[in-house]
Amino acid sequence: MKSARILLTVAVMVMSMVLAASSASAEQLENAKDSLADPRAGQSTTHTFSWETATGGNVGTIEFRFCTTPSGDCSVPGSLILTSATLGSLTGFAGTWTTDTARTATGYLIMSTDTPENSNSGTAISIPVQSITNSAIDACDAQASSDTCYVRINTYSSSTADNGTPTANDLVDETIVSYTVVAPIEVTARVDPTFTFVVQAVDSGIVTNGITTSVSTAYNTLPFGNLTANEPEYAAHRLFVTTNTQSGYTVQMQMQQQMTGVYSGNNIDPFNYNGVTWNAPVAWTRPSGSTPSSD
């Protein structure tokens, strides 16, 4: 039996915490989080950022900055790749938004729209960013099995102000979210083979393979009783097989010894008309032998 090897991906979704004080002119985005479709380190996946707007008004630029720490100087998590990032289907914004990956070397991923959109306070926003390659396990907190990094998010009222870098005066809301990548968990198991074979009796008068039985059997006997010439009798067993083997099963049957009449020399020969086999059955015909006790 072959061992079964399964690669189990543990889905991790880390809710954000408010880790830095708000700027004087900005509020904190509510219920912010970053959900990873595939949290395995080094995998290309979708980061879905979601929050509730804190300050009502126009939003023209959203800035995501990926960092190893929630505050202070920002170091980009190792092995993180943002250059192929694209936007999925947004919730909460109706206009056309594009991504700018020109500053990914410093951890920035910027999305903007030519016409800033007005959103009320409390508006639910969802932004799936596709084709982000997750950072490495030891990129941020150097845990052996997982790694937690941070994304600093700012929303701005202007559209790509100052050549793609909005000023602090344009800041609307901000927050910091965390995401966790994990090492793949390999689960191994070996499934033991099972096989059950059961022989069951069949009563008389039961249609079996198109033939109605005329004799009742036990699981270990085929009691034909007294036979009359030219009057066929039919007996049957029902076979049940239960197994988990991949290659199925084969059931074979053979006689332990030759059937005989009252006298041991009077053999009852197996039906062997024209080379008949179990895989190519033919209808019964009278024996064709001309020698006594043979065919």
Side-chain angles (χ1 to χ4, degrees):
M1 174 61 63
K2 296 180 179 179
S3 297
R5 177 159 291 183
I6 305 166
L7 186 65
L8 175 66
T9 298
V10 178
V12 175
M13 181 174 70
V14 180
M15 303 295 290
S16 71
M17 298 177 291
V18 177
L19 301 174
S22 299
S23 302
S25 60
E27 297 292 336
Q28 290 287 342
L29 297 168
E30 300 292 334
N31 299 319
K33 60 185 178 182
D34 178 8
S35 305
L36 277 64
D38 186 342
R40 289 178 295 167
Q43 293 297 307
S44 178
T45 188
T46 297
H47 286 236
T48 300
F49 299 96
S50 57
W51 60 75
E52 294 176 8
T53 302
T55 303
N58 285 339
V59 174
T61 302
I62 302 174
E63 178 185 87
F64 303 93
R65 192 177 190 188
F66 291 74
C67 305
T68 59
T69 57
S71 60
D73 293 338
C74 179
S75 297
V76 183
S79 301
L80 176 73
I81 301 176
L82 300 172
T83 52
S84 299
T86 59
L87 293 177
S89 182
L90 278 60
T91 299
F93 292 122
T96 300
W97 290 74
T98 58
T99 55
D100 181 354
T101 58
R103 300 171 62 200
T104 56
T106 53
Y108 282 99
L109 180 65
I110 298 173
M111 56 178 287
S112 62
T113 178
D114 290 337
T115 304
E117 294 195 44
N118 186 278
S119 61
N120 297 322
S121 177
T123 299
I125 303 296
S126 176
I127 302 173
V129 184
Q130 305 165 120
S131 301
I132 293 178
T133 299
N134 287 336
S135 48
I137 282 292
D138 58 354
C140 296
D141 61 16
Q143 295 294 323
S145 62
S146 64
D147 195 59
T148 298
C149 303
Y150 302 88
V151 184
R152 306 174 190 181
I153 304 174
N154 292 335
T155 64
Y156 297 91
S157 59
S158 61
S159 294
T160 60
D162 295 341
N163 295 320
T165 307
T167 65
N169 293 331
D170 299 320
L171 185 62
V172 179
D173 289 327
E174 61 184 353
T175 194
I176 303 168
V177 296
S178 63
Y179 69 89
T180 298
V181 296
V182 297
I185 298 174
E186 187 177 86
V187 178
T188 60
R190 185 179 68 183
V191 180
D192 292 333
T194 62
F195 191 90
T196 303
F197 181 73
V198 177
V199 180
Q200 286 189 348
V202 177
D203 290 334
S204 62
I206 303 299
V207 177
T208 303
N209 291 338
I211 295 174
T212 302
T213 58
S214 52
V215 175
S216 294
T217 64
Y219 76 90
N220 59 346
T221 62
L222 295 170
F224 283 103
N226 294 330
L227 299 177
T228 302
N230 298 320
E231 292 184 9
E233 299 287 341
Y234 300 100
H237 277 148
R238 182 173 287 112
L239 310 181
F240 286 93
V241 177
T242 303
T243 182
N244 66 350
T245 58
Q246 294 180 345
S247 300
Y249 59 90
T250 300
V251 177
Q252 296 178 327
M253 187 178 79
Q254 66 182 46
M255 296 177 62
Q256 182 178 351
Q257 63 188 42
Q258 187 71 33
M259 296 178 67
T260 65
V262 175
Y263 300 102
S264 59
N266 294 337
N267 292 334
I268 302 176
D269 295 327
F271 180 56
N272 194 31
Y273 175 77
N274 200 25
V276 66
T277 66
W278 288 104
N279 293 328
V282 298
W284 173 264
T285 61
R286 288 178 176 274
S288 59
S290 57
T291 303
S293 298
S294 177
D295 294 334

